[in-house]
């Protein structure tokens, strides 16, 4: 399993970092031929999207594809991409999208028709280091959103015949960072009717906590006083939108996840690998994926720090405020679908397997990410 430890902010640095973790953008060399269909597909297990990654002789030759499936039946796939992010679904599940690293565009595949198209996400101008298409979140229905170079919310609806960016009157503030640095916000997660903004690429002075804001289309952003003692780099909303899980890392602290009640803004933090209540002053695991299952269960996949002998790779699940072993393979990731599971088997880009009604089918190889439709 290849660790994803946050996005880098420069174009060149971001490109290399995302490439090494299996991400994508402009078409590289390669024929982009689809793999053969599985011989014995299971019954329709549900809709999901995955990112297939094929590494070349160097990072510049990495090729990836966004694929949308219903069980073992392919709905649609993108052209070969170079450096793309983890697939994300709109809140209504009608579209899956990914963001090429070096272009101002979003690559979208319809879960209904399989149609693939690119949607512009201009708005950054020459401030690419402070605003780019790597941070796009669902915000309700088939709408997606991001922040432009002035930290203003921009929205587009993928269901429109010709989706186009639309600036709103909602603006997020910057925060005081280290010395005279100004820390810019990014949208890092979304749900039906709201998105979460955080400051994953900077630090605040002293003992100040990293803030998070709930962003809606009909009011001022609301600060969530999460009490999280660590950075906020990744987030995931629960299926009903009432809770949001936050995670991030520090160099000299164990990995934790904070689960925040959206209504009150209050959160509870628990270590992922270390024993609850213990003080951790050394890195134990890096969180690779963070997601909620349809039943409201919260999951992570982790990669152990090379210097920590007590930590282990694998998938964990939050139960009763405590993280426990999910009972899956040491490497890989299991996502629950409507009627079955989608599993990435193997260490690093692996084999995607779908199981439903006692049937099993190998869908594809060299799969880096898989995401179930909401």
């Amino acid at each position: 399993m290849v660790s994803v430890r946050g996005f880098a902010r420069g174009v060149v640095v971001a490109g290399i970092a995302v490439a090494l973790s299996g991400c994508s953008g402009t078409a590289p060399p390669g024929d982009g031929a689809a793999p053969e269909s599985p011989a014995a597909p299971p019954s329709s297990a549900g809709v999901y999207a995955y990112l297939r990654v094929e590494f070349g002789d160097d990072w510049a030759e990495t090729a990836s594809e966004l694929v949308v499936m219903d069980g073992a039946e392919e709905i649609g796939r993108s052209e070969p991409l170079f450096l793309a992010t983890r697939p994300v679904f709109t809140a209504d599940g009608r579209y899956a999208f990914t963001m090429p690293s070096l272009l101002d565009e979003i690559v979208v595949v319809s879960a209904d028709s399989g149609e693939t198209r690119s949607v512009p996400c201009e708005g950054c101008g020459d401030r690419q280091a402070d605003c780019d298409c790597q941070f796009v979140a669902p915000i309700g229905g088939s709408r997606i959103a991001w922040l432009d170079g002035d930290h203003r919310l921009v929205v587009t609806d993928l269901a429109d015949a010709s989706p186009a960016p639309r600036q709103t009157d909602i603006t997020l503030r910057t925060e005081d960072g280290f010395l005279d640095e100004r820390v810019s916000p990014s949208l890092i997660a979304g749900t039906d009717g709201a998105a979460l903004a955080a400051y994953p690429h900077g630090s605040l002075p002293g003992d100040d906590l990293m803030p998070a804001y709930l962003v809606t289309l009909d009011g001022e952003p609301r600060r969530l006083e999460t009490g999280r003692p660590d950075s906020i780099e990744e987030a995931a909303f629960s299926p009903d939108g009432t809770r949001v899980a936050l995670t991030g890392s520090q160099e000299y602290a164990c990995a934790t996840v904070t689960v925040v009640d959206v209504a009150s803004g209050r959160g509870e933090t628990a270590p992922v690998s270390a024993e609850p209540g213990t003080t951790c002053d050394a890195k134990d695991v890096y969180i690779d994926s963070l997601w909620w299952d349809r039943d409201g269960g919260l999951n992570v996949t982790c990669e152990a720090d090379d210097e920590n002998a007590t930590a282990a790779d694998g998938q964990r699940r939050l139960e009763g405020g405590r993280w426990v072993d999910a009972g899956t393979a040491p490497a890989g990731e299991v996502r629950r679908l409507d009627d079955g599971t989608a599993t990435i088997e193997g260490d690093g880009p692996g084999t995607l397997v779908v199981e439903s009604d006692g049937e099993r089918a190998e869908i594809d190889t060299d799969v880096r990410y898989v995401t179930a439709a909401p």
Side-chain angles (χ1 to χ4, degrees), residues 130-143:
D130 292 330
C131 162
D132 56 36
C133 299
Q134 299 308 314
F135 301 93
V136 179
I139 200 168
S142 55
R143 292 170 297 185

Side-chain angles (χ1 to χ4, degrees), residues 32-112:
E36 294 182 3
S37 299
S43 58
S44 178
V47 175
Y48 59 95
Y50 68 88
L51 193 75
R52 184 176 189 270
V53 179
E54 185 174 346
F55 293 101
D57 292 335
D58 59 56
W59 70 268
E61 296 179 355
T62 299
S64 54
E65 294 173 295
L66 170 62
V67 186
V68 177
M69 304 283 294
D70 184 359
E73 180 180 351
E74 182 176 312
I75 298 175
R77 73 171 57 214
S78 71
E79 294 295 322
L81 304 171
F82 170 61
L83 301 178
T85 58
R86 177 186 297 277
V88 180
F89 277 94
T90 52
D92 59 11
R94 294 180 59 192
Y95 301 92
F97 61 93
T98 185
M99 288 74 69
S101 296
L102 306 180
L103 300 175
D104 278 350
E105 68 179 33
I106 302 159
V107 175
V108 181
V109 176
S110 169
D112 296 327

Side-chain angles (χ1 to χ4, degrees), residues 250-254 274 278-284 308:
Q250 288 183 346
E251 187 174 359
Y252 301 107
C254 58
T278 60
T279 300
C280 217
D281 57 2
K283 175 61 63 180
D284 52 358
N308 192 306

Side-chain angles (χ1 to χ4, degrees), residues 2-364:
V2 180
S3 177
V4 176
R5 304 175 184 178
F7 288 101
R9 290 307 294 237
V11 171
V12 175
V13 176
I16 296 174
V18 179
L20 294 177
S21 60
C23 294
S24 80
T26 315
D31 56 14
E36 294 182 3
S37 299
S43 58
S44 178
V47 175
Y48 59 95
Y50 68 88
L51 193 75
R52 184 176 189 270
V53 179
E54 185 174 346
F55 293 101
D57 292 335
D58 59 56
W59 70 268
E61 296 179 355
T62 299
S64 54
E65 294 173 295
L66 170 62
V67 186
V68 177
M69 304 283 294
D70 184 359
E73 180 180 351
E74 182 176 312
I75 298 175
R77 73 171 57 214
S78 71
E79 294 295 322
L81 304 171
F82 170 61
L83 301 178
T85 58
R86 177 186 297 277
V88 180
F89 277 94
T90 52
D92 59 11
R94 294 180 59 192
Y95 301 92
F97 61 93
T98 185
M99 288 74 69
S101 296
L102 306 180
L103 300 175
D104 278 350
E105 68 179 33
I106 302 159
V107 175
V108 181
V109 176
S110 169
D112 296 327
S113 66
E115 177 189 3
T116 302
R117 58 182 169 177
S118 295
V119 176
C121 57
E122 298 97 338
C124 302
D126 59 358
R127 299 184 60 185
Q128 191 70 23
D130 292 330
C131 162
D132 56 36
C133 299
Q134 299 308 314
F135 301 93
V136 179
I139 200 168
S142 55
R143 292 170 297 185
I144 58 176
W146 62 93
L147 301 177
D148 68 12
D150 296 318
H151 315 111
R152 182 166 45 191
L153 187 71
V154 180
V155 178
T156 190
D157 194 329
L158 298 181
D160 291 344
S162 298
R166 177 178 63 84
Q167 290 182 329
T168 69
D169 295 329
I170 300 170
T171 300
L172 274 293
R173 58 176 291 178
T174 59
E175 295 284 342
D176 291 329
F178 183 70
L179 297 178
D180 295 329
E181 179 189 8
R182 298 298 297 177
V183 184
S184 298
S186 297
L187 298 185
I188 60 173
T191 187
D192 194 11
L196 187 89
Y199 299 77
H201 296 288
S203 59
L204 297 183
D207 296 326
D208 291 343
L209 301 179
M210 298 297 289
Y213 287 88
L214 189 71
V215 182
T216 62
L217 296 174
D218 56 0
E220 289 295 317
R222 175 167 66 91
R223 179 163 177 160
L224 303 179
E225 301 295 341
T226 67
R228 177 169 174 76
D230 205 343
S231 61
I232 301 173
E233 299 173 354
E234 297 184 49
F237 281 92
S238 62
D240 61 6
T242 62
R243 292 171 293 166
V244 61
L246 314 174
T247 191
S249 64
Q250 288 183 346
E251 187 174 359
Y252 301 107
C254 58
T256 62
V257 174
T258 302
V259 180
V260 179
D261 176 75
V262 172
S264 67
R266 293 189 294 270
E268 295 185 1
T269 300
V272 171
S273 180
E275 288 296 320
T278 60
T279 300
C280 217
D281 57 2
K283 175 61 63 180
D284 52 358
V285 297
Y286 294 93
I287 294 177
D288 186 43
S289 301
L290 171 72
W291 77 95
W292 299 78
D293 283 328
R294 292 173 173 273
D295 63 0
L298 181 61
N299 301 269
V300 296
T301 52
C302 308
E303 179 186 358
D305 182 84
D306 294 337
E307 298 181 359
N308 192 306
T310 63
D313 296 354
Q315 183 170 325
R316 301 180 70 80
R317 185 176 175 91
L318 187 65
E319 294 184 0
R322 180 189 181 102
W323 289 94
V324 299
D325 192 329
T328 60
E333 169 175 326
V334 179
R335 299 279 181 139
R336 298 188 184 184
L337 307 176
D338 281 339
D339 185 21
T341 59
T343 303
I344 299 176
E345 297 181 344
D347 189 7
T351 299
L352 178 63
V353 174
V354 168
E355 296 183 80
S356 178
D357 294 335
E359 299 178 337
R360 169 187 167 97
E362 292 190 1
I363 304 300
D364 208 342

